[in-house]
Amino acid sequence: MRFGVFCTYENPQQDFARCFETQTLLVRQAEALGFEEAWVAEHHFDPDAVCPSILSLLAYLSGVTSRIRLGSAAVLLAFRNPIQVAEDVATIDILSRGRFDFGVARGGPFELQNRHFGAGKDNAREMTLEALGLVDRLLYEDKVTFTGAHYEANGVSLAPRPLQQPIPTYLATTTPGAIRYAARNGFGVMAGPPFPIEQIRETLRIYREAAGPEGDPRFTMARFYFAAQRREQALAEAVPFFARFAERMRGNFARQDGAPPPSLTEEGLLERSLVGDFDEVAEKISAYREQTGFRAILLKPISRDAEKNLRSLEDFARHIRPALGAEAAAAAAQ
């Protein structure tokens, strides 16, 4: 059982420089407290979640950390040249001395992203899987020649090559075909903070059915997080965040002429988040472990106050992780 932080570069003060500074402090704090992983999201054209240059951010974080593993959650491959992505991934793996985890995704209901990057929502998934297959070959094969529906390569040899052989690779998806693709290729799967547990369990069922008895989904799940000594303190930080998040997501679905999922309510988000007093959060994590067998759980601190987020990570390390028993302690000691 491993623990990490999920970084979406929230920007409540509308101050980009401060946003980058506070998120860097959060990752360094997580490393100092013994968290094993830090994952960075990719969003575009969003002043409230300022992480468009995901691979640049991860390269920077590799230079200001020394032990914590760094992951992309996730690179939106349909918006990028896969040869350039492969070069960047190999470079980050070297800079981090083999601490990189490579997560990819199609991208959520963000109409501006699809429009400005020329990847329509109807073919973005196909583009993502084709690009992932090409990136995977480029990282480990010499003189790659490939012709697909969207991308091609003619005798390409990557320089540099990554240290890890292979780099752990993950796909964030709920689509059955993409889940089976991940299973057939030995990739892990990820789930974002709003995903309902029923959806997650169905993803894992499809994966294990496709992968067979030896398949390991290496399941990694992110959850919104804020813990405090009293539940009321945690709710005071969480409820305003859930209201803003639900409003933003409903607007994104509306701009794509789609209906938001029924679970996208403030009450539903609270139910699926690690928010409450220390005992309540520990009990929720234990329940998630029993329901999914997750490899790692990633905490997305949700206070608008950066100092409170840092203290909440301290509270997790001091009060919650020890309550989770020997398995969590063993991961922290590695």
Side-chain angles (χ1 to χ4, degrees):
M1 189 179 344
R2 295 166 64 87
F3 296 96
V5 290
F6 180 50
C7 309
T8 59
Y9 287 73
E10 295 289 321
N11 186 29
Q13 311 304 326
Q14 298 298 293
D15 182 332
F16 298 137
R18 182 178 178 184
C19 167
F20 288 171
E21 179 183 2
T22 57
Q23 195 74 93
T24 301
L25 287 174
L26 188 80
V27 172
R28 298 185 71 177
Q29 170 86 329
E31 180 175 69
L33 291 169
F35 285 75
E36 289 82 23
E37 305 181 7
W39 294 72
V40 174
E42 178 176 345
H43 296 286
H44 295 273
F45 318 116
D46 186 350
D48 296 313
V50 191
C51 44
S53 303
I54 179 173
L55 296 170
S56 297
L57 292 171
L58 286 162
Y60 174 74
L61 291 174
S62 74
V64 298
T65 60
S66 59
R67 299 183 308 277
I68 197 167
R69 289 195 66 85
L70 302 169
S72 56
V75 174
L76 305 182
L77 276 180
F79 305 153
R80 297 174 179 270
N81 182 301
I83 298 176
Q84 182 70 62
V85 170
E87 291 178 328
D88 289 344
V89 165
T91 300
I92 293 170
D93 195 54
I94 292 170
L95 291 174
S96 66
R97 298 181 297 281
R99 291 184 287 128
F100 183 57
D101 293 325
F102 181 40
V104 306
R106 180 197 64 168
F110 303 103
E111 184 268 340
L112 286 178
Q113 294 183 159
N114 295 98
R115 183 181 356 135
H116 291 317
F117 289 111
K121 64 178 182 179
D122 293 333
N123 63 1
R125 182 175 292 107
E126 177 186 328
M127 294 173 69
T128 298
L129 297 183
E130 183 178 302
L132 177 56
L134 177 54
V135 169
D136 195 57
R137 290 187 60 191
L138 289 165
L139 289 171
Y140 313 116
E141 298 179 18
D142 193 27
K143 295 188 183 305
V144 174
T145 296
F146 172 88
T147 301
H150 304 282
Y151 308 105
E152 64 179 50
N154 185 11
V156 177
S157 295
L158 205 68
R161 293 291 181 87
L163 293 179
Q164 298 182 95
Q165 297 284 327
I167 294 173
T169 299
Y170 298 82
L171 192 58
T173 184
T174 59
T175 304
I179 297 166
R180 295 186 185 99
Y181 177 90
R184 289 194 301 269
N185 288 277
F187 302 145
V189 288
M190 310 183 74
F195 285 25
I197 198 69
E198 297 80 11
Q199 190 176 48
I200 289 171
R201 294 177 70 175
E202 178 63 8
T203 294
L204 296 175
R205 184 196 67 77
I206 294 170
Y207 186 103
R208 292 181 174 117
E209 183 180 79
E214 302 302 318
D216 180 6
R218 303 197 308 279
F219 178 56
T220 302
M221 65 186 298
R223 294 282 116 167
F224 295 129
Y225 162 77
F226 197 88
Q229 190 168 15
R230 292 186 295 108
R231 188 171 195 270
E232 293 74 15
Q233 293 173 295
L235 290 176
E237 303 299 327
V239 169
F241 173 85
F242 291 141
R244 293 192 308 276
F245 181 85
E247 181 180 6
R248 281 161 51 191
M249 292 302 293
R250 285 193 290 265
N252 287 329
F253 278 101
R255 282 187 288 275
Q256 297 227 95
D257 298 321
S263 58
L264 191 59
T265 64
E266 296 169 40
E267 296 78 11
L269 291 169
L270 176 59
E271 181 183 347
R272 297 190 300 280
S273 298
L274 297 173
V275 172
D277 62 39
F278 303 146
D279 290 340
E280 182 179 1
V281 170
E283 288 170 4
K284 278 192 171 185
I285 291 173
S286 295
Y288 287 145
R289 179 68 169 172
E290 183 177 344
Q291 293 166 331
T292 71
F294 64 77
R295 179 197 68 85
I297 192 162
L298 313 177
L299 310 181
K300 168 64 181 76
I302 54 178
S303 175
R304 292 173 63 89
D305 186 325
E307 289 296 325
K308 289 182 179 180
N309 285 331
L310 293 175
R311 288 198 298 272
S312 192
L313 287 188
E314 291 178 5
D315 287 336
F316 184 91
R318 182 178 300 126
H319 300 291
I320 299 172
R321 186 162 194 165
L324 294 169
E327 188 176 1
Q334 290 178 353

